[in-house]
Amino acid sequence: MKGIFTALMCSFDEQGNINEQGLREIVRHNIDQSKVDGLYVNGSTGENFLITTEMKKRIFEIVKDEAGDQVKLIAQIGSLNIDEAVELGKFVTELKYDAISAVTPFYYKFDFEEIKDYYETIINEVNNDMIIYSIPALTGVNMSLDQFGELLAHDRIIGVKFTAPDFYLLERLRHAFPDKLIYSGFDEMLLPASVLNIDGAIGSTFNVNGKRAREIFELAQQGKITEALEIQRTTNDLISAILANGLYQTIKEMLKTKGVDAGYCRKPMKQISAEKVARAKELAEKYM
């Protein structure tokens, strides 16, 4: 379960329906061209919080059918509706996903006991390993080292997707829990996270930049920091340009230039302008 995992995009048509063929093409691009170690399915990059339970299930089915056992598969099943999270967890476990993941419950200001109960309820109901998805900037949930420790004490909680710029906490987590999986979630900070001996990374830009992500990760493991820094700089030039142009829309348009039918984003995300489509093509030509 170590290495580079793409936070998988999903292809939708202009009406917001799943574009099955396009989704299969995104999966194949990540496996065949980017050579990633795994896919993180139905995370925020997959527009998970904009779709129905049945759509989530269908995406899980398509990805498993297309990927088979070629790469490791992590299913993000977290939801404010804990019944949905459990239902999805059981569903993907039957599909033989390698692990489940769940974002910390958000919007309502849950205390830690409520957050702990959320994870324990899921893992007590679902017979699969759990990876905590911590992204404080979007959820407002900041957990301390001791609180992470309470969660990681459970045998079925095997790791954390750590999407935060707190490298002190990241180092403390790595030191305190050497046998748990720690994945970096900020693509632009992959190198400093790798220096702290993470087990891998999960990123949205890996859909178009997976090869560089692997180079950064592996060079850091080899102690070749100067070489890794050069690739991180190029990566961050790309990330800056993508963010300025519209994150998900630009990645989808970049994939289209490589013959991948990445489709459209669901509302309320806006559709990309012709000018920004042209910019995405420029970025694809330069960086892919």
Side-chain angles (χ1 to χ4, degrees):
M1 292 290 290
K2 298 182 178 183
I4 299 298
F5 284 68
T6 296
L8 194 70
M9 307 212 88
C10 183
S11 179
F12 299 100
D13 65 22
E14 290 184 89
Q15 287 71 48
N17 303 306
I18 297 168
N19 175 1
E20 179 174 336
Q21 181 56 35
L23 175 55
R24 290 181 182 276
E25 290 175 12
I26 295 172
V27 171
R28 290 259 56 89
H29 174 82
N30 275 286
I31 295 173
D32 300 336
Q33 303 303 318
S34 297
K35 308 289 186 182
V36 296
D37 298 296
L39 303 174
Y40 188 85
V41 186
N42 272 337
S44 45
T45 305
E47 300 169 60
N48 170 76
F49 304 111
L50 304 178
I51 59 178
T52 67
T53 303
E54 292 308 310
M55 292 176 79
K56 293 173 187 179
K57 287 182 176 180
R58 186 60 188 140
I59 290 167
F60 285 132
E61 286 178 328
I62 294 168
V63 173
K64 179 60 180 179
D65 182 66
E66 187 62 42
D69 297 323
Q70 291 180 270
V71 295
K72 297 294 185 181
L73 297 177
I74 302 173
Q76 199 295 122
I77 53 88
S79 171
L80 277 179
N81 181 339
I82 198 165
D83 294 329
E84 180 192 46
V86 169
E87 180 182 346
L88 290 173
K90 291 178 178 178
F91 184 79
V92 298
T93 299
E94 290 181 3
L95 289 176
K96 300 191 183 305
Y97 270 68
D98 298 283
I100 57 174
S101 180
V103 67
T104 51
F106 53 91
Y107 188 81
Y108 302 101
K109 296 186 182 299
F110 299 104
D111 64 28
F112 178 69
E113 289 306 312
E114 292 168 325
I115 293 169
K116 184 178 179 181
D117 181 69
Y118 164 85
Y119 283 111
E120 289 181 344
T121 298
I122 295 171
I123 56 181
N124 288 338
E125 293 286 337
V126 179
N127 185 30
N128 207 334
D129 292 330
M130 166 69 76
I131 296 165
I132 297 164
Y133 179 13
S134 176
I135 182 166
L138 296 183
T139 62
V141 177
N142 285 282
M143 290 189 291
S144 68
L145 180 64
D146 288 343
Q147 289 171 336
F148 273 115
E150 284 193 46
L151 296 177
L152 291 168
H154 199 294
D155 289 342
R156 296 312 297 262
I157 298 182
I158 62 170
V160 179
K161 182 189 178 201
F162 188 88
T163 308
D166 187 343
F167 286 97
Y168 174 66
L169 178 56
L170 178 60
E171 187 279 330
R172 292 289 81 191
L173 278 170
R174 175 74 295 166
H175 177 72
F177 306 104
D179 298 326
K180 297 292 185 176
L181 294 168
I182 299 179
Y183 302 97
S184 169
F186 270 145
D187 308 3
E188 64 271 31
M189 301 180 192
L190 176 55
L191 176 55
S194 297
V195 170
L196 295 176
N197 200 28
I198 56 173
D199 296 294
I202 301 169
S204 56
T205 62
F206 300 170
N207 283 278
V208 293
N209 196 51
K211 291 180 181 178
R212 286 191 190 88
R214 177 180 297 286
E215 290 175 343
I216 293 166
F217 181 59
E218 293 182 350
L219 285 169
Q221 289 180 313
Q222 297 164 21
K224 298 179 180 178
I225 305 305
T226 301
E227 294 95 325
L229 180 57
E230 287 301 315
I231 301 170
Q232 185 72 69
R233 283 175 177 152
T234 300
T235 288
N236 286 358
D237 287 342
L238 171 59
I239 292 172
S240 295
I242 289 174
L243 291 174
N245 203 55
L247 177 59
Y248 301 137
Q249 296 93 333
T250 300
I251 292 174
K252 288 187 175 187
E253 292 301 325
M254 290 177 70
L255 286 169
K256 288 177 187 178
T257 67
K258 298 301 177 180
V260 178
D261 184 7
Y264 303 87
C265 291
R266 283 178 57 87
K267 290 182 177 181
M269 292 188 189
K270 61 186 176 184
Q271 300 307 328
I272 193 169
S273 67
E275 179 182 0
K276 291 189 173 184
V277 168
R279 177 59 174 153
K281 290 180 180 178
E282 291 176 1
L283 294 174
E285 290 170 3
K286 183 175 181 179
Y287 289 102
M288 290 182 75

